[in-house]
Amino acid sequence: MEKNNRSIRIECPKLLITRNESDLQWLIGSPFFPPLTIISTFRCIHSNSSGPDFPKESEEIRTLLLKGFDVIGALIVGKSDPEKTAARAVEAARTLKKLLTGTTKLENEETIGAVADPDTGDIRFFLSETESSTSFELVNPVSYGDNPEKFVWESGCLLLCQLPIKLPLCYPVNKPSDAESIFSRAIEAVIAKFKDPNVVYLVEASNRGSLDVVQPVILRGSELDFDAAVANIELLDEAAHNSEKKLLQCAHFCLKSKSTLQLFSAENADIIQISVLLNRSEKSPKCSAPAVEYFAAMDETRLLIVDFKLEVLCYAVQGILLMHAISKLIIPGLIDQLISMKKMNLPYLLTQHPELHPYHFCPPGIAHPVTVIYELNYGETEMKQVDARRSLHLRLGLPFDRPLLRIANSLDLSIKSHSSNRSTRKGSSLLKDVHIGIPGSGVSGGSISLVQGSYEYYHYLQDGFDDSGWGCAYRSLQTIVSWFRLQHYSSVDVPSHREIQQSLVDIGDKDPAFIGSREWIGAIELSFVLDKLLGVSCKVINVRSGSELPEKCRELALHFETQGTPIMIGGGVLAYTLLGVDYNEATGECAFLMLDPHYTGSDDVKKIVNGGWCGWKKSVDSKGKSFFLQDKFYNLLLPQRPNRV
């Protein structure tokens, strides 16, 4: 049966459709969004012959998915009867949601069952209105949003709670097996404390770059509402003002006005900091001195201390009341994370405890953050960590050749002002991403392919070093190395001219006299240095003259779309860094986005862009002139992205 008065709204760039029949994906939504809105999908990666391994799936998704988002359905790839397949998807989604919420029955919750054709990729969406429903109604129409980040963050914010816990345990030496049950009871006692009437929640604004001063607010456990379900919470108008503490909204701690140039993203979202404090002295019936109770141990005991570093991130809309945000998002998030860490600690309780730390990521293609708990006893390149990241890449549909979930790529939740054109690397004051916001290329109907990720702009006379007239290829190489650093493929420092020369001597390409000289280097030397210092391989394209460069536009566009690294382009004694191409395949018209290392001025973005040191260069301009010399042989060095997660 078709249901025409409802519609599915998809606010994620892509659904992870594969050609594998029976492939299952969890559909993610939020109680804060309109019903039947899909914001992302997580692939089911634990299954057996009978279907999904629900305990494993729920355990991982409970950690990964921020409070404020929910599983609202499932999608199955298959060619069998669509309604029966949709029924399987709905049943799977409800089973998972019961495990995630700890309930045995879902009351009046609509659930989506989607069926995708493995050959065409066409998706049909069915709706089951309640758990007792036996019919599944086909839902039309399906609409796709064109700006998921704006949809999520225009009225959304993040709640952050960092809570270190040192948990002391005493267990009998002659009964070490009792340690596990003692540990479990201690965890249960901590969980109970989160809802204690004497617990105090301190709420503070963490607006980065804001001049507004918002006073902190204290909410006590006795003032919280633990009964209302998130879906039943009434959201207030964000513009409404109420001075009563219990009626304060999250909007009270968010920026009242934002720059129109500010991007909607998790990185730019308002963050509300929530601290947990235990107030033992409130309303004490009488004044008394501190008392110590002594309990004699019946057997020889050993003291064990387990460290937890909880860091819970939640999503909320600004219209939700603070008391609901704490009771329905923060506290359940703390409980879930504590239980997850307890399970990870249990096998090693009497040995070396794993050093666990939560990190939050917002990888490309997913409009909301996810949380991952990493075991820091292992280095990031050790196989246990690599395998863990591979599993996450598979679940989230991320490419396996990009280190998107390494710790260095986690969200920076510290309080600091935004500075869009300065490098984020500690100790560096270099400009980065200077091409952002430059004027268009002027190519009519062209398709633009650009460098992916951030880079630093290296040019003549930087660092007090005079390389004017000979160091342009060195500077282009430094820009390329900075790209690999900022994408966290490497922690190697950007090499100096002397270190570049030393590398070429070390591999036998140059004589020792080369060190300290002012000799030029070209594409081949750059490829040697990238291989030695970073383990990066390169592709070299040779072009006989500048007039032939437009013929390589399709190949260059493919490089930026698949590899995304900056390109060094050299001709004669000149070298540049190529950041993108704008190419009209039908007309052959093209332009090249050039970053010029020959610049000798101060690091002023406006001066650099207005002076043409970073901008589009057409193969042939309106006066018939070309930026590239027609009688020069050109080499293009295309660094390849390493296959690393």
Side-chain angles (χ1 to χ4, degrees), residues 41-63:
T41 62
F42 290 174
R43 181 174 282 125
C44 173
I45 61 173
H46 298 298
S47 59
N48 48 46
S49 57
S50 61
D53 185 333
F54 289 106
K56 278 189 176 180
E57 284 291 300
S58 62
E59 209 167 289
E60 292 187 8
I61 291 176
R62 184 180 289 109
T63 298

Side-chain angles (χ1 to χ4, degrees), residues 337-351:
Q337 195 170 100
L338 185 61
I339 291 173
S340 294
M341 289 188 173
K342 169 200 164 185
K343 291 178 179 177
M344 298 171 78
N345 268 292
L346 268 177
Y348 312 100
L349 191 58
L350 300 181
T351 58

Side-chain angles (χ1 to χ4, degrees), residues 534-550:
L534 307 184
V536 168
S537 60
C538 298
K539 178 180 179 180
V540 177
I541 298 176
N542 297 317
V543 181
R544 287 176 294 181
S545 73
S547 60
E548 291 186 10
L549 274 171

Side-chain angles (χ1 to χ4, degrees), residues 55-111:
K56 278 189 176 180
E57 284 291 300
S58 62
E59 209 167 289
E60 292 187 8
I61 291 176
R62 184 180 289 109
T63 298
L64 199 64
L65 192 61
L66 270 59
K67 296 298 178 185
F69 296 102
D70 289 325
V71 173
I72 61 170
L75 178 149
I76 293 179
V77 179
K79 301 188 78 171
S80 56
D81 183 281
E83 194 161 325
K84 288 183 179 178
T85 304
R88 284 171 43 222
V90 167
E91 183 183 1
R94 285 192 170 131
T95 302
L96 178 67
K97 188 157 187 177
K98 287 176 185 177
L99 288 172
L100 290 173
T101 57
T103 58
T104 57
K105 186 174 179 61
L106 301 175
E107 297 290 343
N108 301 322
E109 289 201 16
E110 297 176 320
T111 305

Side-chain angles (χ1 to χ4, degrees), residues 205-211 255 262 267-269 271 408 410-420 422-427 432:
S206 298
N207 292 328
R208 294 165 285 187
S210 171
L211 297 177
L255 288 176
Q262 188 170 340
E267 291 85 353
N268 293 320
I271 298 176
S410 62
L411 288 175
D412 179 8
L413 302 175
S414 59
I415 303 172
K416 62 181 183 180
S417 60
H418 293 286
S419 180
S420 59
R422 290 287 168 184
S423 173
T424 57
R425 184 160 60 86
K426 185 178 180 182
K432 71 182 186 88

Side-chain angles (χ1 to χ4, degrees), residues 552-567:
K552 302 296 181 182
C553 261
R554 186 183 290 107
E555 187 173 355
L556 296 175
L558 182 63
H559 168 85
F560 286 117
E561 290 161 11
T562 59
Q563 301 297 321
T565 63
I567 293 173

Side-chain angles (χ1 to χ4, degrees), residues 424 432-433 451-456 479 482-484 486-487 566:
T424 57
K432 71 182 186 88
D433 306 335
V451 62
Q452 299 175 25
S454 293
Y455 60 88
E456 293 170 323
T479 293
S482 77
W483 184 93
F484 284 97
L486 290 171
Q487 270 54 247

Side-chain angles (χ1 to χ4, degrees), residues 224-372:
L224 300 181
D225 178 5
F226 294 102
D227 297 325
V230 178
N232 298 330
I233 291 173
E234 182 182 355
L235 301 179
L236 304 181
D237 183 353
E238 295 163 22
H241 295 285
N242 197 310
S243 58
E244 188 179 344
K245 186 170 57 175
K246 287 185 67 173
L247 296 179
L248 280 179
Q249 307 166 55
C250 288
H252 179 75
F253 293 95
C254 298
L255 288 176
K256 303 301 180 287
S257 60
K258 297 182 181 180
S259 167
T260 54
L261 299 176
Q262 188 170 340
L263 297 174
F264 290 107
S265 67
E267 291 85 353
N268 293 320
D270 290 298
I271 298 176
I272 301 173
Q273 178 84 40
I274 298 171
S275 304
V276 185
L277 308 169
L278 183 60
N279 182 4
R280 291 184 177 275
S281 61
E282 185 195 12
K283 295 183 180 178
S284 178
K286 60 181 180 178
C287 296
S288 60
V292 176
E293 291 187 76
Y294 172 72
F295 298 93
M298 302 303 294
D299 301 298
E300 183 184 353
T301 60
R302 182 166 294 162
L303 175 64
L304 184 68
I305 295 178
V306 184
D307 280 317
F308 294 94
K309 294 178 181 176
L310 304 184
E311 185 175 291
V312 169
L313 194 66
C314 304
Y315 173 82
V317 288
Q318 296 178 21
I320 190 174
L321 295 179
L322 285 174
M323 67 172 185
H324 288 145
I326 293 171
S327 61
K328 308 310 295 184
L329 301 174
I330 287 294
I331 292 177
L334 288 169
I335 293 171
D336 280 355
Q337 195 170 100
L338 185 61
I339 291 173
S340 294
M341 289 188 173
K342 169 200 164 185
K343 291 178 179 177
M344 298 171 78
N345 268 292
L346 268 177
Y348 312 100
L349 191 58
L350 300 181
T351 58
Q352 183 183 6
H353 300 155
E355 187 182 348
L356 305 174
H357 195 291
Y359 293 93
H360 315 285
F361 299 88
C362 204
I366 302 175
H368 60 83
V370 295
T371 298
V372 178

